Amino acid sequence: FDRFNSRIDRIYRLGGSSVGWPYGRIIAASYPQVEKVVYLRTSPSYSIEHRGQHFFDRILYADAGFFDLFDFPVIAGDVRTALADPYMLVLSDAEAVKLFGAGTVEGTGDAAATSTGTTPGVGRQTGAGAAGRGGAAAVTVAAAQAVGQTLRLGDDRFPCKVAAVVHVPDQSHIRFDALLSFATLRSVNPAWHDREMSTGWLDLNVVTYVLLRPGTDAAAFAASIRNLPQERAGDVLKQLGSPYTL
């Protein structure tokens, strides 16, 4: 799995699964051997509304630096800035075809999708599900249609702009129909977001990836952060009766 990522040998997931919120920020600020930290989260979940229909698909919240770690091939848009601001979306190619493929939107759009940030040596690829709905040409056209469009999410129907479309390889352990910028969480509820980042030591509901700098001893790094929860929040964890380590 994940061998399509050029940095795979330097990417590590904290805690093996999900961890508390503050640890990634602390590591990014305090450990020079870390090049970048990226957060992912699955909730709160929203339906995607498009042309009067609601789709309950897999949405992940992803940090702005997500594509600095993971080489998902770009079909349309600019992934370098796609998740930088609140209410920004990146669709999978299959999702773009479902929402914007032939027969789903008026007009034909521009048949030549433009992309910035495509992984060198990979080029444009299409998943079996997307390609099965008309082939690579249909995916390209749907992706071009999707970028720049606004989709509404949830019961509140808050508008989100599609900034890019990417292919999700079958070999990826990260599966999604859409990525929603992590910055959206703070925009929706800044007090809750900031509280989690400051004191959510045992709110183990974010997945945190670390990109180590070249030449870093991964085992030594892991040992150096193992007791970080106890070092930074020992009194709180003691009150809660938790011996939590990373």
Side-chain angles (χ1 to χ4, degrees), residues 191-233:
W192 165 78
H193 173 277
D194 293 349
R195 183 172 61 252
E196 290 288 349
M197 282 296 183
S198 298
T199 62
W201 305 106
L202 285 179
D203 290 343
L204 310 182
N205 50 39
V206 289
V207 179
T208 307
Y209 292 91
V210 173
L211 177 65
L212 297 179
R213 296 189 186 279
T216 298
D217 184 325
F221 170 73
S224 72
I225 67 170
R226 185 163 293 119
N227 292 321
L228 184 63
Q230 300 299 326
E231 294 169 3
R232 294 300 184 102

Side-chain angles (χ1 to χ4, degrees), residues 39-41 43-46 58-64 66 82-91 151 153 158-161 176-185 188:
Y39 283 77
L40 291 182
R41 181 177 161 86
S43 61
S45 60
Y46 297 105
R58 291 174 295 184
I59 299 176
L60 292 181
Y61 296 87
D63 258 340
F66 179 80
L83 297 171
D85 298 318
Y87 308 109
M88 301 293 285
L89 282 167
V90 174
L91 302 183
L151 298 173
L153 270 59
F158 59 86
C160 295
K161 182 179 179 180
F176 60 87
D177 298 305
L179 297 175
L180 180 57
S181 56
F182 204 89
T184 305
L185 289 170
V188 170

Side-chain angles (χ1 to χ4, degrees), residues 147-197:
V147 172
Q149 296 283 347
T150 296
L151 298 173
R152 294 188 176 274
L153 270 59
D155 294 338
D156 293 334
R157 302 181 69 248
F158 59 86
C160 295
K161 182 179 179 180
V162 179
V165 176
V166 300
H167 171 56
V168 182
D170 293 338
Q171 298 81 12
S172 174
H173 81 281
I174 300 175
R175 313 300 303 173
F176 60 87
D177 298 305
L179 297 175
L180 180 57
S181 56
F182 204 89
T184 305
L185 289 170
R186 190 177 193 281
S187 183
V188 170
N189 192 335
W192 165 78
H193 173 277
D194 293 349
R195 183 172 61 252
E196 290 288 349
M197 282 296 183

